[in-house]
């Protein structure tokens, strides 16, 4: 039995080897067998490069094509194939069309690396500029413009000038794309290129307009007087362009509008200004995030405040894309929310932190949530934020504390509740050091800016400063974080100017002196400042400070001894900052035995109080470590720009111009064109004079019933391949329409060169079908946002689930996991629902027992 099994295994192994060898031989001889296996060129392409040189030198076109395909397959897989440049250049003048296309694809990749060898084929490139195939003409110009040799720039300039008027829009598009390349190669040709670009601005084919706009923005971006005559036509055809063309045109029109129209907030909206906003609005529903950001930028910098609500939903939709896209979108949302936070109040749930969010996204979401605190959102927002304080992620918990602080400052009705919640968070002693320090900083801010005092007066609470300071002093036994303890000592020092505060500060100083050696550097410096303040108050002679000095005079011996003790320890501390602070304060509050130096510092002691106050403001500021503490540039960056994402000017960044004091008068912006229609300029067809429509972010065109300028006999259509490969503009339009989505019904005039499957129906039926398709398209466009895929449950769920019930738990807002985060809940939409009234007790449970 064993012998039989061993023989069977041996036979199976031999069969497998034979099958592998047969498949390899079949792949190598696929061309001889006449088999079409294009994917086979990618199999082991890098191991068969040795055969490429022989194939390229062969006399057979089949072998040359096979060698080029293997070579391009190796390039596509990331292998360096520059050593075959000379062998490839020899075949640039091949009579086989497929071979020439493959050679041009290789030259486009390596022309910049081997410019000297590429120059050998310049004559061939120039001859191909007049080839009958539009693909060859375009690729010849692309290769010529990719050769980075200044001596060839005049030849490329002539080629661009010639092909700028080519009959094929694909070639004209290539000529426009070659303009920035030539400008980078030879800047002295800018004036000539400006003339070419100005002539190309009359381009009417949607295939080439975007490239022409890109060339214009590269050569003469601020030459707006040549844009006047094309403004209305470009607005009408904005939805017809490809996605990247829409981006370029939207940016140009935005910059143009900022120099030609008045501020819509201070003047009446111009008709052309309104036309631009109407043309940009469909782009907000585009499937490409870059197009949406270009449209949002146009609205943010051009639209009046009443129309700004249109940008909120598209931005929230983009947040559900990839992590990188979500980060870019959130940075722009943060900038917009700083100016108009009301836009995102209905979408506050969309900014809740999810467990799957990366750190960069979590931090920006918390900064956005801090700006969305409002009476309409507090009922949803604050319980969610309270749960974040118990998060296992330190940055989320610390950021949540800052959001609670912002809530207390923005909503006086919730100030006391937020304050008590922060104290409970400190009292529990379970918070991390970073969270405890941030919470104590928030308590300090609320006490110093008067938010808690004013809220108590309105709500008639009985929480006194005496209770608060005693409670904080008792917390010193539990607080271990250096930042939190430093804020306690700083707060006691800042309230030391009251009769109770000075005596309370003495008790806190006595407790701090016992463990001075174990304190952190920040806490030690605050203890030194507290000691210095008590000494200055005791020795003061003013009327108000004299009463405080009299209170401390009874404890002079204790004050002097504690002062000397902490400053002596600080003199030999291991931290340089502590030693430096001690030397500075000792000059302002000398110890016993420093009388010898008092004469030298007499002028300093005269201003000791002002210097101590200045030191306090500089080293103990309230806003250190704030959630949104990055300095913002005056005027801000352009929405949607890279500089806004990086928060610093990127290379080549140019901001938008300020609104003109008076809008220019007597400007002719071209003939009035219906929305979505294009004219016939320059003797070329305008793509059939199309009406733009947009369905779910996909642009399409419905042809108008007018006779085309170029016509082809019906008999020629029998050979469909020949018709599609022809250079006729109508054939180009057919190729474009063939890629359109099926949801768009294109209506052709009678006598058209091509008909739909229902061509036997009457023209009236076609018109009715077109109208119905237009109505359905508009309905799809209006409901495109409603049909969006809802985020998954884990994306809406809070970062850390809340424990316990009551209004402070997630049960208030997280139970309805199937609700759309972009829509208000029933409680939010109810006009009689008072969201702020829900927070009449602490956000974190059982805080009120400390104030009974």
């Amino acid at each position: 039995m064993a012998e039989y099994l061993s023989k069977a295994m041996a036979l199976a192994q031999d069969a497998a080897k034979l099958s592998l060898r047969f498949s390899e031989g079949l792949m190598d001889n696929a061309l001889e067998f006449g088999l079409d296996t294009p994917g086979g060129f990618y199999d082991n392409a890098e191991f068969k490069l040795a055969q490429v040189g022989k194939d390229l030198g062969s006399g057979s076109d089949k072998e040359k094509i096979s060698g080029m395909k293997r070579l391009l397959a190796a390039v596509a897989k990331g292998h360096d194939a520059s050593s075959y440049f000379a062998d490839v250049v020899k075949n640039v003048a091949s009579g086989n069309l497929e071979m020439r296309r493959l050679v041009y694809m290789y030259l486009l990749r390596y022309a910049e690396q081997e410019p000297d060898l590429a120059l050998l084929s310049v004559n061939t490139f120039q001859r191909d500029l007049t080839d009958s195939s539009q693909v060859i003409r375009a690729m010849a110009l692309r290769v010529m413009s990719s050769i980075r040799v200044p001596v060839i720039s005049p030849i490329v300039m002539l080629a661009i000038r010639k092909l700028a008027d080519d009959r094929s829009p694909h070639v004209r598009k290539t000529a426009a794309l070659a303009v920035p390349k030539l400008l980078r190669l030879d800047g002295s040709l800018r004036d000539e290129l400006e003339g070419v670009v100005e002539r190309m601005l009359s381009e009417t084919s949607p295939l080439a307009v975007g490239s022409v706009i890109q060339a214009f923005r590269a050569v003469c971006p601020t030459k707006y007087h040549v844009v006047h005559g094309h403004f209305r036509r470009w607005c009408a055809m904005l939805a017809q362009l490809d996605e990247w063309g829409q981006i370029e045109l939207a940016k140009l029109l935005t910059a143009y509008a900022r120099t030609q129209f008045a501020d819509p907030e201070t003047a009446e909206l111009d008709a052309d200004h309104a036309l631009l906003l109407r043309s940009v609005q469909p782009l907000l529903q585009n499937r490409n995030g870059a197009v949406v950001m270009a449209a949002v930028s146009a609205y943010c910098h051009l639209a009046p405040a009443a129309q700004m609500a249109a940008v909120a939903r598209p931005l929230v939709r983009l947040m559900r894309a990839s992590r990188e896209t979500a980060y870019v979108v959130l940075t722009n949302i943060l900038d917009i929310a700083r100016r108009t936070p009301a836009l995102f109040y209905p979408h506050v749930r969309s900014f809740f932190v999810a467990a799957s969010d990366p750190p960069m996204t979590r931090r920006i979401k918390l900064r956005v949530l801090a700006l969305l605190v409002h009476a309409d959102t507090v009922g949803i927002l604050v319980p969610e934020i309270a749960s974040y304080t118990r998060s296992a992620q330190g940055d989320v918990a610390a950021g949540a504390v800052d959001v609670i602080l912002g809530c207390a400052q923005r909503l006086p009705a919730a100030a006391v509740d937020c304050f008590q919640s922060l104290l409970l968070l400190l009292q529990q002693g379970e918070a991390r050091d970073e969270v405890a320090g941030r919470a104590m900083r928030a308590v300090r801010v609320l006490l110093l800016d008067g938010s808690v005092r004013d809220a108590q007066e309105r709500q008639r609470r009985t929480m006194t400063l005496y209770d608060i300071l005693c409670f904080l002093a008792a917390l010193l036994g539990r607080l271990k974080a250096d930042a939190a303890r430093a804020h306690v000592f700083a707060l006691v020092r800042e309230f030391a100017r009251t009769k109770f505060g000075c005596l309370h500060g003495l008790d806190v100083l006595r407790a701090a002196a016992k463990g001075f050696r174990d304190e952190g550097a920040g806490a030690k410096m605050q203890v030194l400042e507290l000691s210095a303040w008590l000494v200055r108050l005791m020795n003061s002679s003013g009327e108000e400070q004299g009463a405080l000095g009299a209170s401390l005079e009874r404890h002079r011996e204790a004050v002097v001894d504690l002062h000397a003790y902490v400053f002596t320890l600080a003199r030999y501390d291991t931290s340089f900052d502590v030693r430096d602070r001690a030397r500075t304060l000792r000059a302002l509050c000398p110890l016993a035995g420093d009388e010898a130096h008092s004469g030298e510092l007499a002028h300093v002691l005269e201003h000791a109080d002002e210097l101590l106050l200045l030191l306090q403001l500089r080293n103990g500021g309230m806003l250190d470590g704030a959630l949104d503490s990055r300095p913002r540039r005056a005027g801000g960056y352009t929405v949607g720009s890279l500089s806004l994402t990086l928060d610093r000017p990127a290379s080549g960044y140019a901001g938008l111009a300020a609104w003109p004091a008076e809008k220019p008068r007597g400007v002719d912006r071209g003939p009035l064109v219906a929305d979505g229609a294009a004219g016939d300029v320059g003797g070329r067809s305008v793509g059939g004079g199309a009406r733009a429509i947009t369905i779910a972010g996909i642009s399409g065109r419905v042809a108008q019933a007018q006779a085309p300028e170029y016509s082809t006999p019906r008999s020629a259509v029998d050979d469909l391949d020949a018709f599609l490969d022809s250079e006729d503009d109508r054939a180009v339009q057919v190729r474009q329409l063939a890629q359109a989505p099926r949801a768009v019904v294109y209506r052709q005039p009678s006598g058209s060169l091509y008909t739909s499957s229902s061509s036997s129906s009457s023209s009236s039926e076609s018109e009715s079908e077109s109208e119905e398709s237009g109505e359905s398209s508009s309905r799809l466009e209006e409901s495109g946002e409603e049909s969006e895929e809802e985020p998954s449950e884990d994306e809406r769920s809070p970062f850390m689930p809340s424990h316990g019930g009551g209004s402070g738990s997630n049960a208030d807002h997280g139970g309805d996991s199937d609700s759309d985060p972009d829509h208000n809940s029933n409680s939010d939409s109810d006009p009689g629902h008072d969201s702020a009234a829900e927070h009449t007790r602490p956000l974190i449970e059982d805080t009120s027992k400390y104030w009974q």
Side-chain angles (χ1 to χ4, degrees), residues 505-518:
L506 179 58
D507 292 337
V508 173
L509 178 61
R510 185 184 296 109
K514 294 179 181 180
F516 186 82
R517 293 180 300 176
D518 299 328

Side-chain angles (χ1 to χ4, degrees), residues 752-787:
S752 176
L753 305 179
Y754 49 95
T755 59
S756 62
S757 58
S758 60
S759 58
S760 60
S761 61
S762 63
S763 60
S764 61
E765 293 176 351
S766 301
E767 293 177 0
S768 61
E769 289 176 359
S770 300
E771 294 175 356
E772 292 175 1
S773 65
E775 294 175 358
S776 61
S777 300
S778 61
R779 287 195 297 269
L780 283 173
E781 182 178 355
E782 294 174 357
S783 61
E785 194 68 27
E786 301 294 339
S787 61

Side-chain angles (χ1 to χ4, degrees), residues 616-632:
Q616 170 187 343
L617 295 176
R618 184 169 183 177
N619 298 306
M622 297 184 299
L623 299 180
D624 53 330
L627 183 66
D628 191 9
S629 59
R630 293 193 305 172
R632 294 191 289 272

Side-chain angles (χ1 to χ4, degrees), residues 464-474 491-492 495 500-501 504:
T464 64
L465 180 61
Y466 175 83
D467 298 329
I468 296 173
L469 292 181
C470 291
F471 179 79
L472 294 177
L491 190 60
V492 172
F495 284 104
F500 161 75
H504 180 70

